[in-house]
Amino acid sequence: MTHGKKNIMLILSSPSGAGKTTITKKIQQKYHSFKISVSHTTRRPRSNEIDGVDYHFISQDKFKNLIKEDQFYEYAEIFDNYYGTLKKNVDELSKTNDIIFDIDWQGTKQLSKYKNLNLIKIYLIPPNKTELKDRLIKRNQNSSEEVKRRFNAFDEDIKHWKDYDYILINENLENCYKQIERIIASKKQEIISNFQKAL
């Protein structure tokens, strides 16, 4: 499948509570070319989530069939639920848009195998573990058991920083966002230059 040659694919990964969702929304508000790749998942929707907007919610059986049919660019099992990025959706979207992937290190590793994708891989981390725990509790979306589980996963997640192009510490949201803007601008320039050379 040919992807829009000048379109970029931005991977944003982070431990839960590092501010990734807020930054993703800011990017979308400023750059209308960016669309979020909506993942498929087997987890139950939260009360504020909409099918097809936040996730495509499907059954375990359906998800496993899609794996068998090699329909995913990447998928992972996280906290007893499956999450995956459907090839068909990405290929369609990338013809006319830049794409943001909100995926973890497992998904990033799998996507990196596809050399035809213009990937920028950014890993966001909170300033420290205390800050992370505070943010998880304040989010109020998770039970105390889940907060504990996500907090404990942090040490495992952080081992995979080497798979990313950039590691950003999200101490100040605005500064962190500005750094990402600079990275996007630089990658866009590089793609346009390469495109012009190839003409």
Side-chain angles (χ1 to χ4, degrees):
M1 169 51 75
T2 53
H3 296 268
K5 289 285 180 236
K6 289 187 280 186
N7 294 330
I8 59 178
M9 299 188 175
L10 176 67
I11 293 178
L12 279 183
S13 300
S14 74
S16 295
K20 178 177 55 178
T21 309
T22 313
I23 283 178
T24 301
K25 284 186 177 139
K26 278 176 83 72
I27 292 168
Q28 274 195 298
Q29 279 160 5
K30 173 144 187 198
Y31 301 95
H32 298 302
S33 64
F34 272 100
K35 298 279 182 263
I36 290 183
S37 164
V38 179
S39 300
H40 283 61
T41 184
T42 58
R43 82 156 167 72
R44 297 175 75 83
R46 292 187 179 124
S47 58
N48 60 338
E49 288 177 328
I50 301 163
D51 186 32
V53 175
D54 298 288
Y55 287 97
H56 298 289
F57 296 99
I58 60 171
S59 67
Q60 286 259 1
D61 287 347
K62 198 163 178 191
F63 200 102
K64 285 175 178 170
N65 280 337
L66 289 169
I67 294 173
K68 275 189 206 139
E69 293 163 8
D70 192 30
Q71 297 291 316
F72 289 113
Y73 268 128
E74 61 80 30
Y75 68 91
E77 192 177 356
I78 305 161
F79 302 133
D80 306 326
N81 291 300
Y82 284 102
Y83 295 82
T85 301
L86 210 60
K87 288 179 182 176
K88 189 176 73 174
N89 293 4
V90 170
D91 292 343
E92 203 48 51
L93 206 54
S94 70
K95 286 176 188 171
T96 50
N97 293 284
D98 297 312
I99 298 181
I100 304 176
F101 294 100
D102 175 349
I103 56 178
D104 79 336
W105 60 267
Q106 299 174 72
T108 301
K109 236 180 170 53
Q110 292 172 61
L111 264 183
S112 300
K113 291 175 189 163
Y114 295 91
K115 301 300 176 202
N116 59 325
L117 307 180
N118 283 323
L119 295 175
I120 310 176
K121 297 175 280 188
I122 299 177
Y123 194 79
L124 291 176
I125 54 172
N128 54 59
K129 282 178 83 168
T130 314
E131 177 75 15
L132 176 73
K133 197 160 198 176
D134 288 348
R135 288 182 191 180
L136 281 172
I137 291 163
K138 275 192 198 121
R139 269 203 337 195
N140 218 9
Q141 288 175 342
N142 309 311
S143 64
S144 57
E145 192 52 46
E146 197 169 340
V147 167
K148 199 165 137 194
R149 199 153 58 147
R150 287 174 184 270
F151 182 67
N152 290 341
F154 176 79
D155 292 328
E156 178 55 39
D157 286 355
I158 214 79
K159 288 178 195 165
H160 300 278
W161 62 269
K162 292 187 207 68
D163 298 331
Y164 290 82
D165 303 318
Y166 303 92
I167 312 294
L168 302 182
I169 297 169
N170 183 12
E171 194 156 9
N172 173 294
L173 190 73
E174 209 44 55
N175 289 348
C176 188
Y177 172 67
K178 285 199 172 108
Q179 281 179 286
I180 292 173
E181 280 198 303
R182 284 196 289 274
I183 292 165
I184 290 170
S186 150
K187 181 72 172 175
K188 277 280 186 196
Q189 198 47 58
E190 180 196 317
I191 289 169
I192 289 165
S193 301
N194 292 340
F195 186 72
Q196 286 167 340
K197 278 179 203 159
L199 290 178

